[in-house]
Amino acid sequence: MTNTTGPASAQPIRVALLGCGVVGSQVARMIESRSDDVAARVGRRVELAGIAVAHPDRPRQGLDSRLFTDDPTGLVNRDDIDIVIELIGGIDPARQLLTAALEKGHSVVTANKALLATHGTELHAVAEDHGVDLYYEAAVAGAIPIVRPLRESLVGDQITRVMGIVNGTTNYILDQMTTTGAGFDDALAQAQAKGYAEADPTADVEGYDAAAKAALLSTLAFHTRMRGDQVYREGITAITREDIAAARDMDCVIKLLAVCQASPDGISARVHPALVPAAHPLGGVSGAFNAVFVEAREAGHLMFLGPGAGGSPTASAVMGDLVTVARNLVRGVAGPPQDVYGEFPILPIAEVHTRFHLRLQVRDEPGVLAEVAKIFASHGVSLQTVQQSAVEGNDRVDGWSATLKILTHEARECDVKECVDELTGHHYVNSDPRVIRVEGM
Ligand code: HSE
């Protein structure tokens, strides 16, 4: 419902759109089709001034062909622009275009996590120097409001941990492996057939996309600059059916998690597959959905869940930023600056504390369990549960007949790594131990 008497007849706010793909075309259509509501909410009309694309002559249904240009630099440098929305992705030329836009005094809305996770601090500084806004809700977890809750709603609290399923492609693949018994390659092929995974799935399955998002979440949560390359990263390509089955035995599922954590010594951010209890809020996140679980000192535990990608959901987040930035313009204010006063040390993965699940095949002989336990004890790693399943009779293969499944208490990563190094190649131990971190237990 629209109150058409609302907005003043002042000059409209003019928007330059860079990119008109799946998300950009949806944003352009929403600016056009929701113009009365947007005007009512902002207090002035908001209109498209131009759209920069690689192929301006291509027909685009419902959009005025005169808006299109193949000159993004010319577009961002126009004097009649107020806000630039960047949806082209990648580092270059997005970085140069947004720097030029901010220097020209235009506010910016972007979904570009790779750019912000690499050059966010410089871009925020330019925005602050010129008194304009840089908003990026769509850069993390698509439609899910998480940037603004961390930047504004929870800014009076103290966040201790943020755990996110922030990549829908890998969540879909792991969910398929869990629910259908598919192996990684088949599940990836299904994700590609459904359009979730790219032809080159590296950015998703190797965790680069999630690491960029983890850097943004960590910077917001702990008020300390974190770049994507400072996030420890492991992908999901090595996850096997056996890992999925071992998780099920523990009433867990395997998720690719982004974990941003504050500890007395510093902060850390990491992306890796983890065992999560099926009963944990993150354990129930299925298909290509995203979710972010926030632990705050006063607020307690908060769960944000929803679609993390796709044209309409991501466009919703972009439109939220556009309306917010336009409102700020009307009121002659800028939103909160990037606030990175914390400067906490960033801990290497070796110093991170969490729990671990280990699986190893050992000889079923007297003293083996004691020997394995001694190795953990010598590195100060405490075991919570140890389960041995031994194979009897004809199934025994050369005496390699017992599988040990171990769950540690919280332990330092480097201590567990030393245990694993010592167990690997030990004469009682057959294969390299399989190690998966455990979160949310
Ligand atoms: N490729 C991402 C995903 C969406 O699968 O969640 C964009 O970040």
Side-chain angles (χ1 to χ4, degrees), residues 47-62:
E47 64 180 36
L48 276 169
I51 306 175
V53 291
H55 305 285
D57 298 333
R58 208 173 267 175
R60 290 174 170 88
Q61 210 185 356

Side-chain angles (χ1 to χ4, degrees), residues 183-195:
F184 172 80
D185 290 338
D186 287 343
L188 170 60
Q190 286 170 39
Q192 284 169 324
K194 288 222 166 216

Side-chain angles (χ1 to χ4, degrees), residues 59-76:
R60 290 174 170 88
Q61 210 185 356
L63 296 173
D64 185 342
S65 61
R66 288 169 301 181
L67 289 171
F68 288 90
T69 170
D70 60 1
D71 179 12
T73 307
L75 181 58
V76 300

Side-chain angles (χ1 to χ4, degrees), residues 411-425:
R412 199 165 56 150
E413 172 102 11
C414 61
D415 295 330
V416 173
K417 182 165 185 314
E418 283 179 12
C419 297
V420 172
D421 288 347
E422 221 172 297
L423 288 164
T424 303

Side-chain angles (χ1 to χ4, degrees), residues 1 12 24 26 31 35 53 55 108 110 160 167 183 203 216 318 336 367 381 409-410 412 417 438:
M1 218 172 11
Q26 189 60 21
I31 291 173
S35 64
V53 291
H55 305 285
V108 164
T110 177
T160 50
N167 183 271
L216 301 185
V318 172
V381 176
H409 283 295
E410 203 167 277
R412 199 165 56 150
K417 182 165 185 314
V438 180

Side-chain angles (χ1 to χ4, degrees), residues 160-437:
T160 50
R161 194 149 69 138
V162 179
M163 288 200 291
I165 295 171
V166 290
N167 183 271
T169 306
T170 45
N171 201 53
Y172 177 85
I173 292 171
L174 292 170
D175 195 37
Q176 283 295 110
M177 291 176 75
T178 302
T179 54
T180 70
F184 172 80
D185 290 338
D186 287 343
L188 170 60
Q190 286 170 39
Q192 284 169 324
K194 288 222 166 216
Y196 294 134
E198 311 267 343
D200 176 0
T202 310
D204 292 321
V205 299
E206 297 293 1
Y208 291 99
D209 173 79
K213 293 166 181 169
L216 301 185
L217 291 173
S218 190
T219 300
L220 286 162
F222 307 130
H223 309 278
T224 296
R225 290 181 190 98
M226 172 94 70
R227 292 188 315 273
D229 62 6
Q230 293 173 302
V231 176
Y232 174 80
R233 179 191 53 77
E234 270 174 42
I236 63 163
T237 53
I239 297 296
T240 62
R241 288 191 178 93
E242 290 72 33
D243 295 331
I244 301 280
R248 185 173 292 122
D249 285 348
M250 296 169 64
D251 294 324
C252 286
V253 288
I254 296 182
K255 297 289 185 193
L256 182 72
L257 288 190
V259 184
C260 312
Q261 196 165 313
S263 64
D265 301 332
I267 61 166
S268 60
R270 51 200 162 96
V271 167
H272 54 70
L275 286 165
V276 179
H280 187 280
L282 290 172
V285 177
S286 62
F289 274 88
N290 280 198
V292 184
F293 188 75
V294 178
E295 299 176 16
R297 191 169 291 280
E298 310 300 335
H301 293 178
L302 307 166
M303 174 78 167
F304 300 79
L305 169 72
S312 295
T314 309
S316 166
V318 172
M319 287 298 290
D321 279 352
L322 174 62
V323 169
T324 304
V325 168
R327 280 174 169 167
N328 289 346
L329 271 175
V330 167
R331 293 168 56 229
V333 298
Q338 190 190 41
D339 133 30
V340 285
Y341 69 91
E343 296 185 1
F344 294 111
I346 297 173
L347 301 178
I349 187 70
E351 295 301 320
V352 169
H353 287 71
T354 190
R355 302 175 70 184
F356 297 82
H357 164 81
L358 295 95
R359 265 187 357 261
L360 53 157
Q361 208 189 9
V362 294
R363 285 192 187 281
D364 189 6
E365 289 174 10
V368 171
L369 194 52
E371 182 70 14
V372 170
K374 204 169 79 185
I375 289 173
F376 283 97
S378 69
H379 293 287
V381 176
S382 176
L383 307 183
Q384 178 175 331
T385 59
V386 179
Q387 187 195 355
Q388 177 180 308
S389 32
V391 175
E392 297 293 336
N394 292 339
D395 290 337
R396 296 173 76 104
V397 182
D398 298 335
W400 298 108
S401 50
T403 300
L404 279 182
K405 292 179 186 167
I406 295 169
L407 176 64
T408 72
H409 283 295
E410 203 167 277
R412 199 165 56 150
E413 172 102 11
C414 61
D415 295 330
V416 173
K417 182 165 185 314
E418 283 179 12
C419 297
V420 172
D421 288 347
E422 221 172 297
L423 288 164
T424 303
H426 192 287
H427 62 279
Y428 281 143
V429 180
N430 184 17
S431 53
D432 287 355
R434 184 80 182 113
V435 187
I436 306 181
R437 298 173 190 84

